[in-house]
């Protein structure tokens, strides 16, 4: 998710930096993340599916915390599936 920042961070740390190029890169990255926020449900689903594939590689199944009848220190999160949780 943060891989988009790699180019700008390297550029900002170099000695020969063109501030206009850096500013343009920052504007592009900001617009990319704004688009992610607009489509957060779809983006989250893609990330969740990737996490599921990674978990399957090490034989881990997705799960969610059990729901208690009475909670004292935290609220029960209402979710039907681990992805919603």
């Amino acid at each position: 998710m943060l891989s988009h920042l790699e180019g700008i961070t390297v550029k900002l740390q170099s000695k020969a930096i063109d501030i206009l190029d850096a500013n343009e890169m920052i504007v592009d990255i900001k617009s990319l993340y704004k688009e992610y926020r607009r489509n957060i449900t779809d983006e989250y689903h893609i990330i969740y599916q990737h996490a599921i594939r990674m978990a399957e590689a090490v034989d881990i199944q997705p799960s969610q915390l059990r729901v208690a009848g009475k909670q004292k220190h935290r609220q029960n999160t209402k979710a039907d599936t681990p992805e919603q949780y």
Side-chain angles (χ1 to χ4, degrees), residues 4-13 21-22 25-26 29:
H4 309 292
L5 299 175
E6 183 179 0
I8 189 66
T9 56
V10 170
K11 189 170 198 87
L12 289 173
Q13 294 176 34
D21 286 343
M25 289 177 76
I26 290 170
I29 292 170

Side-chain angles (χ1 to χ4, degrees), residues 1-5 28-47:
M1 199 75 192
L2 296 176
S3 62
H4 309 292
L5 299 175
D28 291 344
I29 292 170
K30 283 175 62 176
S31 66
L32 179 68
Y33 283 113
K34 284 180 184 178
E35 185 64 28
Y36 283 163
R37 282 193 305 250
R38 272 195 287 273
N39 299 321
I40 192 66
T41 304
D42 296 335
E43 295 297 329
Y44 177 76
H45 181 72
I46 292 168
I47 293 168

Side-chain angles (χ1 to χ4, degrees), residues 29-80:
I29 292 170
K30 283 175 62 176
S31 66
L32 179 68
Y33 283 113
K34 284 180 184 178
E35 185 64 28
Y36 283 163
R37 282 193 305 250
R38 272 195 287 273
N39 299 321
I40 192 66
T41 304
D42 296 335
E43 295 297 329
Y44 177 76
H45 181 72
I46 292 168
I47 293 168
Y48 183 77
Q49 292 303 318
H50 181 68
I52 294 294
R53 286 192 302 275
M54 289 173 47
E56 286 175 352
V58 291
D59 198 30
I60 296 176
Q61 299 298 319
S63 63
Q64 63 191 52
L65 295 175
R66 62 187 171 92
V67 177
K70 180 180 177 184
Q71 280 290 6
K72 185 174 181 180
H73 298 291
R74 67 174 175 84
Q75 294 180 350
N76 283 323
T77 303
K78 297 195 181 346
D80 296 329

